[in-house]
Amino acid sequence: MKLKSHINQIIQDAFMKAGIAHEPTRVTESSKAEFGDFQFNGAMALSKVLGKNPREIAETLIKNLNFDTIIAKAEIAGPGFINLWLNPLWLASECEAAQHDVRLGVEKRMIPTKVVVDYSGPNMAKQMHVGHLRSSIIGDTLANLLDYLGDEVIRQNHIGDWGTQFGMLIAYLEETDKDSSVSLKDLEQFYKEAKARFDVDEAFASKAREYVVKIQSGDAHCLALWQQFITISLGHCEEVYDKLSVNLRREDVRAESFYNDALSSVVHDLDAQGLLQESDGAQCVFLDNDEIPIIVQKSDGGYLYATTDLAALRYRATALEAKRILYVVDARQAGHFKQVFALAKKAGFVSKEVSLEHVAFGTMMDKGGKPFKTRDGGTIKLIDLLDEAVTKAQDAVKDKSSYSKEELEALAKIIGIGAVKYADLSINRESDYVFNMDKMLSFEGNTSLYMQYAYARIQSIFRKYDGVIGGHIIIGDSLEHKLCVLLLGFEDVLNRAADDATPSQISTYLYDVATLFMRFYEQNPILKEGVVDEIKMSRLILADLSAKTIKQGLSLLGIDVVDAL
Ligand code: ARG
């Protein structure tokens, strides 16, 4: 149900009937109950254009407003605001329909867009660390969301598997070759050791450099070692995806190396268009107004991160035919994306109408406000962090539930991982945020546990009730009315979150639903003696729709619910 579109349409019809040949501004949710459910603020702006008093315009509009089904009442307030109240009968029947529908009334897009979501993108030289957490979680949510709304989603994991460090790693792998699965068990350690050798041992270093050239020129032996390294390394990442329930599979990997053969033609085509300039022996593009050039080829012939991204952009826009491409990458790469997007369009690698968006996110900080590091300054391994969250979750729920040990473990996984994901997804993605496990695992405030608790509480009502739900919603008070309006706004929220690529709009909404439901429930008991059947049914339907909305919303965020807490 596109609630706002319906109301906007009614306003638009009133414009037509009143003979006002202007595009109306959109309605907004009213900030207070006394201002109705929605507000139209367009009369003020129109007064300048039409040379009329805004209250007069508002009156004309109200006269032409269709009060048939959706709108129950309209009132002019202040200088010319129009406050709109929705018809409770209509709200009730639409909520009933949503409760019956597996998609909760959320329609799929009529015309799907082909969207590439580039996310996670870990570097194979090292273990995945917390820096990749945000990209994986935000990217996966956006991919889930767009898919749910009916877009054609192509997930792309642009892993860093190409570059000079691989020569070093392979040289070291060969040296310690006995059993690579053992030596690569701890990649971080392996990388450190290889780097230490590289820094002090000149013979080793030159061998490493030789290997770089060999890999890049396709030497079979070196490529086989490299492949082995990547496979093991990727396996480590997949363990993390598994724990996080991130939907990235092997097929979604389009590594940097995938574009290797396309790099020379990228440079060639830029050159053919007269876009290249040589600077200190390197091939560069100077875009208008940019002081820093984009270097596409180094003086030694090597290509760079930007060259690969240009090739990837071209591949995505042409071979994959994407019309929208999202890059879920750290905000610190904003400059890079601004440049490659501009160049890709200028060079015609990507046509003008394709939307290229850097979905930037901030840095994860520790409690002291510093970028997240271990005590000795190393990066924290993602897998350790997730395991810690699960252990802490077990503590948080052990007194709350009467579960067996196994059940408690399963529950802790859902809650612990959910808490980490939700904390990330519930803040404005561009802000830096403090990773605070205790706060994440709180039953209070905007946390996943609060939401899971609200869900479980509703399920417990149904366990006690244990009958069929039928009948109708009867809106009895203003809280019930508000809850219905909020629940019908689900699709609007999902669309906005998808358009702006901001998962936090979903979590803010779910928090509102859970909070409002709890207030509603306190005021309107359901199973208490004395509640007549008709009212009981009505409240049960609303409870069910609230629970289903929370469940569906959390599922888009990649978070599970539990039936009891
Ligand atoms: N591997 C990169 C990093 O860790 C992220 C890749 C993002 N995707 C892209 N197409 N550049 O910083």
Side-chain angles (χ1 to χ4, degrees), residues 281-302:
Q283 296 300 322
C284 303
V285 180
F286 285 85
L287 286 174
D288 326 325
N289 316 322
D290 263 354
E291 280 162 31
I292 310 162
I294 309 173
I295 309 172
V296 291
Q297 191 168 26
K298 291 188 285 190
S299 54
D300 66 4

mmCIF file with all atom_site columns, all heavy atoms in Angstrom, residues 281-302:
data_model
loop_
_atom_site.group_PDB
_atom_site.id
_atom_site.type_symbol
_atom_site.label_atom_id
_atom_site.label_alt_id
_atom_site.label_comp_id
_atom_site.label_asym_id
_atom_site.label_entity_id
_atom_site.label_seq_id
_atom_site.pdbx_PDB_ins_code
_atom_site.Cartn_x
_atom_site.Cartn_y
_atom_site.Cartn_z
_atom_site.occupancy
_atom_site.B_iso_or_equiv
_atom_site.pdbx_formal_charge
_atom_site.auth_seq_id
_atom_site.auth_comp_id
_atom_site.auth_asym_id
_atom_site.auth_atom_id
_atom_site.pdbx_PDB_model_num
ATOM 1   N N   . GLY A 1 281 ? 55.881 10.187 -16.003 1.00 0.00 ? 281 GLY A N   1
ATOM 2   C CA  . GLY A 1 281 ? 55.898 8.855  -16.614 1.00 0.00 ? 281 GLY A CA  1
ATOM 3   C C   . GLY A 1 281 ? 54.619 8.066  -16.416 1.00 0.00 ? 281 GLY A C   1
ATOM 4   O O   . GLY A 1 281 ? 54.434 7.002  -16.994 1.00 0.00 ? 281 GLY A O   1
ATOM 5   N N   . ALA A 1 282 ? 53.691 8.605  -15.596 1.00 0.00 ? 282 ALA A N   1
ATOM 6   C CA  . ALA A 1 282 ? 52.432 7.881  -15.365 1.00 0.00 ? 282 ALA A CA  1
ATOM 7   C C   . ALA A 1 282 ? 51.356 8.412  -16.291 1.00 0.00 ? 282 ALA A C   1
ATOM 8   O O   . ALA A 1 282 ? 51.390 9.576  -16.699 1.00 0.00 ? 282 ALA A O   1
ATOM 9   C CB  . ALA A 1 282 ? 52.007 8.048  -13.917 1.00 0.00 ? 282 ALA A CB  1
ATOM 10  N N   . GLN A 1 283 ? 50.377 7.562  -16.623 1.00 0.00 ? 283 GLN A N   1
ATOM 11  C CA  . GLN A 1 283 ? 49.258 7.983  -17.460 1.00 0.00 ? 283 GLN A CA  1
ATOM 12  C C   . GLN A 1 283 ? 48.118 8.474  -16.555 1.00 0.00 ? 283 GLN A C   1
ATOM 13  O O   . GLN A 1 283 ? 47.637 7.738  -15.698 1.00 0.00 ? 283 GLN A O   1
ATOM 14  C CB  . GLN A 1 283 ? 48.750 6.815  -18.312 1.00 0.00 ? 283 GLN A CB  1
ATOM 15  C CG  . GLN A 1 283 ? 49.755 6.292  -19.324 1.00 0.00 ? 283 GLN A CG  1
ATOM 16  C CD  . GLN A 1 283 ? 50.174 7.356  -20.330 1.00 0.00 ? 283 GLN A CD  1
ATOM 17  O OE1 . GLN A 1 283 ? 49.364 8.172  -20.773 1.00 0.00 ? 283 GLN A OE1 1
ATOM 18  N NE2 . GLN A 1 283 ? 51.460 7.363  -20.665 1.00 0.00 ? 283 GLN A NE2 1
ATOM 19  N N   . CYS A 1 284 ? 47.729 9.732  -16.778 1.00 0.00 ? 284 CYS A N   1
ATOM 20  C CA  . CYS A 1 284 ? 46.765 10.352 -15.865 1.00 0.00 ? 284 CYS A CA  1
ATOM 21  C C   . CYS A 1 284 ? 45.617 10.985 -16.635 1.00 0.00 ? 284 CYS A C   1
ATOM 22  O O   . CYS A 1 284 ? 45.742 11.345 -17.789 1.00 0.00 ? 284 CYS A O   1
ATOM 23  C CB  . CYS A 1 284 ? 47.419 11.486 -15.092 1.00 0.00 ? 284 CYS A CB  1
ATOM 24  S SG  . CYS A 1 284 ? 48.846 10.970 -14.182 1.00 0.00 ? 284 CYS A SG  1
ATOM 25  N N   . VAL A 1 285 ? 44.489 11.131 -15.920 1.00 0.00 ? 285 VAL A N   1
ATOM 26  C CA  . VAL A 1 285 ? 43.379 11.913 -16.462 1.00 0.00 ? 285 VAL A CA  1
ATOM 27  C C   . VAL A 1 285 ? 43.159 13.087 -15.509 1.00 0.00 ? 285 VAL A C   1
ATOM 28  O O   . VAL A 1 285 ? 43.013 12.882 -14.306 1.00 0.00 ? 285 VAL A O   1
ATOM 29  C CB  . VAL A 1 285 ? 42.081 11.083 -16.545 1.00 0.00 ? 285 VAL A CB  1
ATOM 30  C CG1 . VAL A 1 285 ? 40.950 11.929 -17.120 1.00 0.00 ? 285 VAL A CG1 1
ATOM 31  C CG2 . VAL A 1 285 ? 42.296 9.834  -17.375 1.00 0.00 ? 285 VAL A CG2 1
ATOM 32  N N   . PHE A 1 286 ? 43.144 14.290 -16.054 1.00 0.00 ? 286 PHE A N   1
ATOM 33  C CA  . PHE A 1 286 ? 42.826 15.463 -15.237 1.00 0.00 ? 286 PHE A CA  1
ATOM 34  C C   . PHE A 1 286 ? 41.384 15.854 -15.544 1.00 0.00 ? 286 PHE A C   1
ATOM 35  O O   . PHE A 1 286 ? 41.085 16.291 -16.647 1.00 0.00 ? 286 PHE A O   1
ATOM 36  C CB  . PHE A 1 286 ? 43.766 16.631 -15.567 1.00 0.00 ? 286 PHE A CB  1
ATOM 37  C CG  . PHE A 1 286 ? 45.149 16.452 -15.011 1.00 0.00 ? 286 PHE A CG  1
ATOM 38  C CD1 . PHE A 1 286 ? 46.098 15.721 -15.717 1.00 0.00 ? 286 PHE A CD1 1
ATOM 39  C CD2 . PHE A 1 286 ? 45.500 16.998 -13.778 1.00 0.00 ? 286 PHE A CD2 1
ATOM 40  C CE1 . PHE A 1 286 ? 47.377 15.541 -15.211 1.00 0.00 ? 286 PHE A CE1 1
ATOM 41  C CE2 . PHE A 1 286 ? 46.782 16.821 -13.264 1.00 0.00 ? 286 PHE A CE2 1
ATOM 42  C CZ  . PHE A 1 286 ? 47.728 16.092 -13.982 1.00 0.00 ? 286 PHE A CZ  1
ATOM 43  N N   . LEU A 1 287 ? 40.501 15.648 -14.590 1.00 0.00 ? 287 LEU A N   1
ATOM 44  C CA  . LEU A 1 287 ? 39.106 16.038 -14.810 1.00 0.00 ? 287 LEU A CA  1
ATOM 45  C C   . LEU A 1 287 ? 38.957 17.521 -14.493 1.00 0.00 ? 287 LEU A C   1
ATOM 46  O O   . LEU A 1 287 ? 39.712 18.064 -13.691 1.00 0.00 ? 287 LEU A O   1
ATOM 47  C CB  . LEU A 1 287 ? 38.177 15.235 -13.899 1.00 0.00 ? 287 LEU A CB  1
ATOM 48  C CG  . LEU A 1 287 ? 37.960 13.775 -14.281 1.00 0.00 ? 287 LEU A CG  1
ATOM 49  C CD1 . LEU A 1 287 ? 37.152 13.087 -13.208 1.00 0.00 ? 287 LEU A CD1 1
ATOM 50  C CD2 . LEU A 1 287 ? 37.257 13.653 -15.619 1.00 0.00 ? 287 LEU A CD2 1
ATOM 51  N N   . ASP A 1 288 ? 37.961 18.162 -15.090 1.00 0.00 ? 288 ASP A N   1
ATOM 52  C CA  . ASP A 1 288 ? 37.729 19.584 -14.838 1.00 0.00 ? 288 ASP A CA  1
ATOM 53  C C   . ASP A 1 288 ? 37.660 19.825 -13.336 1.00 0.00 ? 288 ASP A C   1
ATOM 54  O O   . ASP A 1 288 ? 37.058 19.047 -12.617 1.00 0.00 ? 288 ASP A O   1
ATOM 55  C CB  . ASP A 1 288 ? 36.387 20.045 -15.425 1.00 0.00 ? 288 ASP A CB  1
ATOM 56  C CG  . ASP A 1 288 ? 36.060 19.305 -16.696 1.00 0.00 ? 288 ASP A CG  1
ATOM 57  O OD1 . ASP A 1 288 ? 37.007 19.000 -17.440 1.00 0.00 ? 288 ASP A OD1 1
ATOM 58  O OD2 . ASP A 1 288 ? 34.871 19.008 -16.923 1.00 0.00 ? 288 ASP A OD2 1
ATOM 59  N N   . ASN A 1 289 ? 38.212 20.898 -12.920 1.00 0.00 ? 289 ASN A N   1
ATOM 60  C CA  . ASN A 1 289 ? 38.180 21.333 -11.522 1.00 0.00 ? 289 ASN A CA  1
ATOM 61  C C   . ASN A 1 289 ? 38.888 20.417 -10.530 1.00 0.00 ? 289 ASN A C   1
ATOM 62  O O   . ASN A 1 289 ? 38.839 20.641 -9.343  1.00 0.00 ? 289 ASN A O   1
ATOM 63  C CB  . ASN A 1 289 ? 36.751 21.516 -10.974 1.00 0.00 ? 289 ASN A CB  1
ATOM 64  C CG  . ASN A 1 289 ? 35.868 22.239 -11.948 1.00 0.00 ? 289 ASN A CG  1
ATOM 65  O OD1 . ASN A 1 289 ? 36.333 23.155 -12.617 1.00 0.00 ? 289 ASN A OD1 1
ATOM 66  N ND2 . ASN A 1 289 ? 34.630 21.825 -12.044 1.00 0.00 ? 289 ASN A ND2 1
ATOM 67  N N   . ASP A 1 290 ? 39.456 19.318 -11.000 1.00 0.00 ? 290 ASP A N   1
ATOM 68  C CA  . ASP A 1 290 ? 40.122 18.432 -10.056 1.00 0.00 ? 290 ASP A CA  1
ATOM 69  C C   . ASP A 1 290 ? 41.611 18.691 -10.033 1.00 0.00 ? 290 ASP A C   1
ATOM 70  O O   . ASP A 1 290 ? 42.260 18.687 -11.071 1.00 0.00 ? 290 ASP A O   1
ATOM 71  C CB  . ASP A 1 290 ? 39.872 16.966 -10.443 1.00 0.00 ? 290 ASP A CB  1
ATOM 72  C CG  . ASP A 1 290 ? 38.728 16.379 -9.655  1.00 0.00 ? 290 ASP A CG  1
ATOM 73  O OD1 . ASP A 1 290 ? 38.229 17.074 -8.745  1.00 0.00 ? 290 ASP A OD1 1
ATOM 74  O OD2 . ASP A 1 290 ? 38.334 15.235 -9.952  1.00 0.00 ? 290 ASP A OD2 1
ATOM 75  N N   . GLU A 1 291 ? 42.121 18.935 -8.830  1.00 0.00 ? 291 GLU A N   1
ATOM 76  C CA  . GLU A 1 291 ? 43.566 19.154 -8.738  1.00 0.00 ? 291 GLU A CA  1
ATOM 77  C C   . GLU A 1 291 ? 44.315 17.842 -8.808  1.00 0.00 ? 291 GLU A C   1
ATOM 78  O O   . GLU A 1 291 ? 45.370 17.728 -9.400  1.00 0.00 ? 291 GLU A O   1
ATOM 79  C CB  . GLU A 1 291 ? 43.895 19.850 -7.414  1.00 0.00 ? 291 GLU A CB  1
ATOM 80  C CG  . GLU A 1 291 ? 43.643 21.336 -7.472  1.00 0.00 ? 291 GLU A CG  1
ATOM 81  C CD  . GLU A 1 291 ? 43.539 21.933 -6.085  1.00 0.00 ? 291 GLU A CD  1
ATOM 82  O OE1 . GLU A 1 291 ? 44.194 21.426 -5.167  1.00 0.00 ? 291 GLU A OE1 1
ATOM 83  O OE2 . GLU A 1 291 ? 42.782 22.911 -5.955  1.00 0.00 ? 291 GLU A OE2 1
ATOM 84  N N   . ILE A 1 292 ? 43.714 16.828 -8.161  1.00 0.00 ? 292 ILE A N   1
ATOM 85  C CA  . ILE A 1 292 ? 44.391 15.536 -8.137  1.00 0.00 ? 292 ILE A CA  1
ATOM 86  C C   . ILE A 1 292 ? 43.946 14.730 -9.355  1.00 0.00 ? 292 ILE A C   1
ATOM 87  O O   . ILE A 1 292 ? 42.755 14.534 -9.573  1.00 0.00 ? 292 ILE A O   1
ATOM 88  C CB  . ILE A 1 292 ? 44.032 14.758 -6.856  1.00 0.00 ? 292 ILE A CB  1
ATOM 89  C CG1 . ILE A 1 292 ? 44.239 15.664 -5.642  1.00 0.00 ? 292 ILE A CG1 1
ATOM 90  C CG2 . ILE A 1 292 ? 44.836 13.473 -6.747  1.00 0.00 ? 292 ILE A CG2 1
ATOM 91  C CD1 . ILE A 1 292 ? 43.538 15.190 -4.400  1.00 0.00 ? 292 ILE A CD1 1
ATOM 92  N N   . PRO A 1 293 ? 44.909 14.282 -10.147 1.00 0.00 ? 293 PRO A N   1
ATOM 93  C CA  . PRO A 1 293 ? 44.519 13.509 -11.334 1.00 0.00 ? 293 PRO A CA  1
ATOM 94  C C   . PRO A 1 293 ? 44.135 12.080 -10.960 1.00 0.00 ? 293 PRO A C   1
ATOM 95  O O   . PRO A 1 293 ? 44.443 11.622 -9.865  1.00 0.00 ? 293 PRO A O   1
ATOM 96  C CB  . PRO A 1 293 ? 45.800 13.507 -12.161 1.00 0.00 ? 293 PRO A CB  1
ATOM 97  C CG  . PRO A 1 293 ? 46.901 13.594 -11.164 1.00 0.00 ? 293 PRO A CG  1
ATOM 98  C CD  . PRO A 1 293 ? 46.374 14.413 -10.022 1.00 0.00 ? 293 PRO A CD  1
ATOM 99  N N   . ILE A 1 294 ? 43.481 11.403 -11.870 1.00 0.00 ? 294 ILE A N   1
ATOM 100 C CA  . ILE A 1 294 ? 43.255 9.968  -11.698 1.00 0.00 ? 294 ILE A CA  1
ATOM 101 C C   . ILE A 1 294 ? 44.402 9.280  -12.427 1.00 0.00 ? 294 ILE A C   1
ATOM 102 O O   . ILE A 1 294 ? 44.560 9.467  -13.635 1.00 0.00 ? 294 ILE A O   1
ATOM 103 C CB  . ILE A 1 294 ? 41.934 9.524  -12.357 1.00 0.00 ? 294 ILE A CB  1
ATOM 104 C CG1 . ILE A 1 294 ? 40.783 10.412 -11.895 1.00 0.00 ? 294 ILE A CG1 1
ATOM 105 C CG2 . ILE A 1 294 ? 41.667 8.059  -12.101 1.00 0.00 ? 294 ILE A CG2 1
ATOM 106 C CD1 . ILE A 1 294 ? 39.482 10.138 -12.642 1.00 0.00 ? 294 ILE A CD1 1
ATOM 107 N N   . ILE A 1 295 ? 45.176 8.528  -11.707 1.00 0.00 ? 295 ILE A N   1
ATOM 108 C CA  . ILE A 1 295 ? 46.266 7.811  -12.367 1.00 0.00 ? 295 ILE A CA  1
ATOM 109 C C   . ILE A 1 295 ? 45.725 6.464  -12.817 1.00 0.00 ? 295 ILE A C   1
ATOM 110 O O   . ILE A 1 295 ? 45.150 5.727  -12.013 1.00 0.00 ? 295 ILE A O   1
ATOM 111 C CB  . ILE A 1 295 ? 47.462 7.596  -11.411 1.00 0.00 ? 295 ILE A CB  1
ATOM 112 C CG1 . ILE A 1 295 ? 47.857 8.932  -10.764 1.00 0.00 ? 295 ILE A CG1 1
ATOM 113 C CG2 . ILE A 1 295 ? 48.649 6.988  -12.156 1.00 0.00 ? 295 ILE A CG2 1
ATOM 114 C CD1 . ILE A 1 295 ? 48.886 8.792  -9.661  1.00 0.00 ? 295 ILE A CD1 1
ATOM 115 N N   . VAL A 1 296 ? 45.860 6.176  -14.098 1.00 0.00 ? 296 VAL A N   1
ATOM 116 C CA  . VAL A 1 296 ? 45.335 4.893  -14.585 1.00 0.00 ? 296 VAL A CA  1
ATOM 117 C C   . VAL A 1 296 ? 46.442 3.889  -14.926 1.00 0.00 ? 296 VAL A C   1
ATOM 118 O O   . VAL A 1 296 ? 46.184 2.703  -15.040 1.00 0.00 ? 296 VAL A O   1
ATOM 119 C CB  . VAL A 1 296 ? 44.379 5.060  -15.796 1.00 0.00 ? 296 VAL A CB  1
ATOM 120 C CG1 . VAL A 1 296 ? 43.084 5.743  -15.358 1.00 0.00 ? 296 VAL A CG1 1
ATOM 121 C CG2 . VAL A 1 296 ? 45.042 5.813  -16.932 1.00 0.00 ? 296 VAL A CG2 1
ATOM 122 N N   . GLN A 1 297 ? 47.654 4.396  -15.093 1.00 0.00 ? 297 GLN A N   1
ATOM 123 C CA  . GLN A 1 297 ? 48.772 3.469  -15.327 1.00 0.00 ? 297 GLN A CA  1
ATOM 124 C C   . GLN A 1 297 ? 50.060 4.081  -14.780 1.00 0.00 ? 297 GLN A C   1
ATOM 125 O O   . GLN A 1 297 ? 50.378 5.239  -15.078 1.00 0.00 ? 297 GLN A O   1
ATOM 126 C CB  . GLN A 1 297 ? 48.914 3.162  -16.821 1.00 0.00 ? 297 GLN A CB  1
ATOM 127 C CG  . GLN A 1 297 ? 49.873 2.022  -17.097 1.00 0.00 ? 297 GLN A CG  1
ATOM 128 C CD  . GLN A 1 297 ? 49.801 1.511  -18.531 1.00 0.00 ? 297 GLN A CD  1
ATOM 129 O OE1 . GLN A 1 297 ? 49.417 2.236  -19.450 1.00 0.00 ? 297 GLN A OE1 1
ATOM 130 N NE2 . GLN A 1 297 ? 50.179 0.259  -18.713 1.00 0.00 ? 297 GLN A NE2 1
ATOM 131 N N   . LYS A 1 298 ? 50.762 3.283  -13.990 1.00 0.00 ? 298 LYS A N   1
ATOM 132 C CA  . LYS A 1 298 ? 52.002 3.785  -13.394 1.00 0.00 ? 298 LYS A CA  1
ATOM 133 C C   . LYS A 1 298 ? 53.122 3.787  -14.440 1.00 0.00 ? 298 LYS A C   1
ATOM 134 O O   . LYS A 1 298 ? 52.995 3.179  -15.498 1.00 0.00 ? 298 LYS A O   1
ATOM 135 C CB  . LYS A 1 298 ? 52.408 2.885  -12.220 1.00 0.00 ? 298 LYS A CB  1
ATOM 136 C CG  . LYS A 1 298 ? 51.461 2.988  -11.030 1.00 0.00 ? 298 LYS A CG  1
ATOM 137 C CD  . LYS A 1 298 ? 52.006 2.235  -9.821  1.00 0.00 ? 298 LYS A CD  1
ATOM 138 C CE  . LYS A 1 298 ? 51.850 0.733  -10.015 1.00 0.00 ? 298 LYS A CE  1
ATOM 139 N NZ  . LYS A 1 298 ? 52.143 -0.054 -8.809  1.00 0.00 ? 298 LYS A NZ  1
ATOM 140 N N   . SER A 1 299 ? 54.228 4.428  -14.071 1.00 0.00 ? 299 SER A N   1
ATOM 141 C CA  . SER A 1 299 ? 55.334 4.515  -15.035 1.00 0.00 ? 299 SER A CA  1
ATOM 142 C C   . SER A 1 299 ? 55.917 3.134  -15.349 1.00 0.00 ? 299 SER A C   1
ATOM 143 O O   . SER A 1 299 ? 56.432 2.912  -16.433 1.00 0.00 ? 299 SER A O   1
ATOM 144 C CB  . SER A 1 299 ? 56.418 5.451  -14.508 1.00 0.00 ? 299 SER A CB  1
ATOM 145 O OG  . SER A 1 299 ? 56.810 5.024  -13.224 1.00 0.00 ? 299 SER A OG  1
ATOM 146 N N   . ASP A 1 300 ? 55.805 2.184  -14.417 1.00 0.00 ? 300 ASP A N   1
ATOM 147 C CA  . ASP A 1 300 ? 56.333 0.838  -14.698 1.00 0.00 ? 300 ASP A CA  1
ATOM 148 C C   . ASP A 1 300 ? 55.319 -0.024 -15.471 1.00 0.00 ? 300 ASP A C   1
ATOM 149 O O   . ASP A 1 300 ? 55.514 -1.226 -15.649 1.00 0.00 ? 300 ASP A O   1
ATOM 150 C CB  . ASP A 1 300 ? 56.749 0.140  -13.390 1.00 0.00 ? 300 ASP A CB  1
ATOM 151 C CG  . ASP A 1 300 ? 55.561 -0.164 -12.479 1.00 0.00 ? 300 ASP A CG  1
ATOM 152 O OD1 . ASP A 1 300 ? 54.402 0.098  -12.877 1.00 0.00 ? 300 ASP A OD1 1
ATOM 153 O OD2 . ASP A 1 300 ? 55.789 -0.672 -11.362 1.00 0.00 ? 300 ASP A OD2 1
ATOM 154 N N   . GLY A 1 301 ? 54.202 0.598  -15.880 1.00 0.00 ? 301 GLY A N   1
ATOM 155 C CA  . GLY A 1 301 ? 53.219 -0.147 -16.677 1.00 0.00 ? 301 GLY A CA  1
ATOM 156 C C   . GLY A 1 301 ? 52.090 -0.738 -15.842 1.00 0.00 ? 301 GLY A C   1
ATOM 157 O O   . GLY A 1 301 ? 51.082 -1.183 -16.371 1.00 0.00 ? 301 GLY A O   1
ATOM 158 N N   . GLY A 1 302 ? 52.267 -0.754 -14.513 1.00 0.00 ? 302 GLY A N   1
ATOM 159 C CA  . GLY A 1 302 ? 51.250 -1.358 -13.642 1.00 0.00 ? 302 GLY A CA  1
ATOM 160 C C   . GLY A 1 302 ? 49.970 -0.526 -13.612 1.00 0.00 ? 302 GLY A C   1
ATOM 161 O O   . GLY A 1 302 ? 49.992 0.688  -13.818 1.00 0.00 ? 302 GLY A O   1
#
